Structures are given as C-alpha cells and as structure tokens.
Amino acid sequence: MRYRETELLNVLKLMAPGTPLRDGLENVLKAKTGGLIVIGDQEEIMKIVDGGFYINSEYSPSYLYELAKMDGAIIISSDLKRILYANTQLIPDPTIPTTETGTRHRTADRVAKQTGNLVIAISQRRNVITVYKGNFKYVLKDISIILTKANQAIQTLERYKQVLDEAMSNLSALEFEDLVTAYDVTVAVQRNEMVMRIVYEIEKYIYELGNEGRLVSMQLDDLADGVEEEGMLLIKDYAERDVSDVQKAIRSITSDDLIDINVVSKVLGYAPDAMFETMISPRGYRLLNKIPKLPQVVVENMVKTFGQFKNILNATIEELDAVEGIGEARARAIKEGLRKIQEQVILNRRI
C-alpha cells in the first residue's frame, strides 16, 4: 500500500465514530460553533502558537466542546490524552500556497503543510469536518452516506472477485498444462489489482464508519481473504525483477490506465502486440502455496532446485525427496496435493 494511502487510513482510524476524538468533534459540529484543532505538541507546532490559555488538562469530548466555544485554536497532545492550549492564534508561514477560502480552513491547510501534523477544521457555516495532514485534505462524510457507499462497494467487490476467481482458475489450468501466455498473466494481475483497489476503498469506509462498520468489515474479510497474498505470489511466479518494484509499478497505474490491458502489459515488461504469442512458464510459488502445511522454506527450495513449475510437477518421488527439507513422506504429500489441486482446477473450469 502506498504511503499516502496508509497515512489516510491511520487518520481515519484515529477519528472513527466511537473514538473519544470523534465524539468531541461531533459535539462541536452539532453545536455549530466551528473549531480549529491541532494534534501535536512538537516544537514545530509551538513555534506558530501565539497567545491563548495553557490548559494542560485531561482530554474529554465534553471539555473539547466547551473550549471550542472560544474563537481560537485548540492544541491537543500527540497521544490525544491532554488538551494543552485553547483560544490560541496560529501563525503559519503566509507564503505557503493554499486553495482554501475561509480563514479557518486556510490556516488549517497551511499549518498542516508547514508541520506535517494533523489539523482539523470544523466549519460553522457548512457544518462539515475537514481533515488536513501534510499535503492531503479529506472531508469526513455523514455516516448514512458512507454506509450506503460501503454497501454499494461490497456489491461491486463481489462482482469483481468473481471475475478474478475465473481469471485465476483459468491461469491455474494453463499452468498445469504449461500453456501460459503473457496475456493470461497480464489479465490475472490486472484483475487482482482492480479487486485490491476496491478493497482499499472499502477499508476507508470501514474506518470512517467506526462502530457502525462491523458488518461491512466481516463481509470484506470474507471476500478479500488471501487476495493480496495471491497477487504477490502471482508476480513472484513471473516477474523478472524485484517483486516489490513490480508491485509498486502496478499500484502507480492510474485507474483509467488499469483498464487498458496494453498499459498493464507494458508495466509487466511484456510487448502488447505479442502478448498472445509469448509463452511463459511459472516458477510455481502460487500453486505450491495451496498445498496444506507446506513450509515456505520448502517451497523456496523446490523452486530453487527445479526452476519451473512444470519440472516440479513432473518430478518423481525420489527427485522431490532429494530436495532439502523434503523427506519421502512429504514428497508423496506434495505429489498428492498437486494432484488434488489439478482435479479441483479441472472441475472449476468445467463449471
């Protein structure tokens, strides 16, 4: 997951409904007093704080509500346990560019950009909570709206997951037959990334929903189970360079470009005009990881020894037994495990 995405999820988790911070913000929102709140007590923050009252009292939602009745900003400690200052003036660098219009939001944007800290602006007129951190801005939405969007996203995920399962099942069948083309791999990678982007969107909704997101979270866990790991193993099977570099490249593709199979093909290093003719043999990581109770070190040793999945599939009990970490009993279990996986793949293909 990209750094910016992780940052946003952390912020949403911090401010999820049911948390003390969110309770305080909702109280201020309902009172229609507006507010400007900075989370952090570092020196960088203190340098731009002017005047106000030094409170240094234990944080509580009701106390935050009372202090927000004053016009100035409120400073809360980084651990969210204490309210340090109230009714202060914030004086960030006025040369920092901002597209915000209101005084409160312009200040919040500049303080966030200057310090990198979390700054929250509660609009008195528009009745919304806006979050700033570094260079990003996020407007918290009404719970009912988020819940509707989350349920719609779950339905979309179900459809995309079905398409992904079909692509992976088709790829597995081709891997057993050693008939995989660059096109087959590209499609599987594309479908996996599409699903993961929907998963990320739903994760944002879940954090925003807080206590109200339990059912959505359970549905997501069921639908997304193993998807990210299988995507990583897929790339590990076919990538000619570092897996993490390929993953970053895939994740950096815009949503519009991700739909274009030719763009995805180029990112993976395949020539778009030769996708159907370029035959590729997998290393075997993805299918070998489907064998129950097979240690990862044994999988690595097998790939290192045999090089390609077709060689592992055709290896005798004696040849498997010779691999470090595999005895005769495990060699037989591996052969049996691959046979069962192949039978299941054939069955799924017929269905």
Side-chain angles (χ1 to χ4, degrees), residues 12-24 26 61 143 207-212 214:
L12 294 178
K13 186 176 182 180
L14 194 70
M15 304 178 64
T19 61
L21 178 59
R22 184 59 175 268
D23 288 345
E26 291 290 348
I143 295 297
Y207 282 128
E208 282 194 81
L209 287 169
N211 296 335
E212 302 296 323
R214 288 189 293 270

Side-chain angles (χ1 to χ4, degrees), residues 9-77:
L9 289 184
N10 289 336
V11 169
L12 294 178
K13 186 176 182 180
L14 194 70
M15 304 178 64
T19 61
L21 178 59
R22 184 59 175 268
D23 288 345
L25 298 178
E26 291 290 348
N27 287 342
V28 176
L29 192 67
K30 290 172 184 175
K32 299 185 183 298
T33 59
L36 181 58
I37 301 161
V38 181
I39 309 298
D41 46 13
Q42 300 94 327
E43 184 180 352
E44 188 70 19
I45 291 289
M46 294 301 108
K47 284 180 180 178
I48 61 175
V49 171
D50 182 45
F53 305 106
Y54 180 60
I55 305 292
N56 195 24
S57 296
E58 185 177 350
Y59 173 86
S60 73
S62 59
Y63 200 18
L64 180 68
Y65 159 70
E66 293 295 338
L67 292 173
K69 292 178 181 178
M70 295 183 282
D71 290 336
I74 297 171
I75 312 297
I76 299 177
S77 61

Side-chain angles (χ1 to χ4, degrees), residues 35 46 56 118 123 153 194 226 241:
M46 294 301 108
N56 195 24
L118 177 62
S123 175
M194 285 178 172
R241 63 183 197 273

Side-chain angles (χ1 to χ4, degrees), residues 67-69 86 151 163 178 235-236 280 294 301 305 329 341 343:
L67 292 173
K69 292 178 181 178
N151 287 326
V163 174
D178 196 30
I235 292 174
K236 197 173 181 179
I280 315 172
L294 188 61
N301 289 341
T305 300
I341 293 170
E343 286 180 354

Side-chain angles (χ1 to χ4, degrees), residues 162-221:
Q162 184 177 358
V163 174
L164 171 63
D165 289 343
E166 291 172 359
M168 286 298 192
S169 181
N170 179 63
L171 181 65
S172 296
L174 293 172
E175 286 178 340
F176 275 107
E177 298 165 359
D178 196 30
L179 295 174
V180 178
T181 66
Y183 174 79
D184 302 311
V185 177
T186 303
V187 167
V189 170
Q190 179 196 47
R191 298 288 189 267
N192 185 272
E193 178 61 17
M194 285 178 172
V195 167
M196 287 310 303
R197 293 192 184 192
I198 300 171
V199 168
Y200 169 67
E201 286 299 319
I202 297 173
E203 285 178 345
K204 285 197 299 183
Y205 293 141
I206 289 171
Y207 282 128
E208 282 194 81
L209 287 169
N211 296 335
E212 302 296 323
R214 288 189 293 270
L215 181 58
V216 177
S217 180
M218 291 170 61
Q219 291 174 292
L220 179 64
D221 288 343

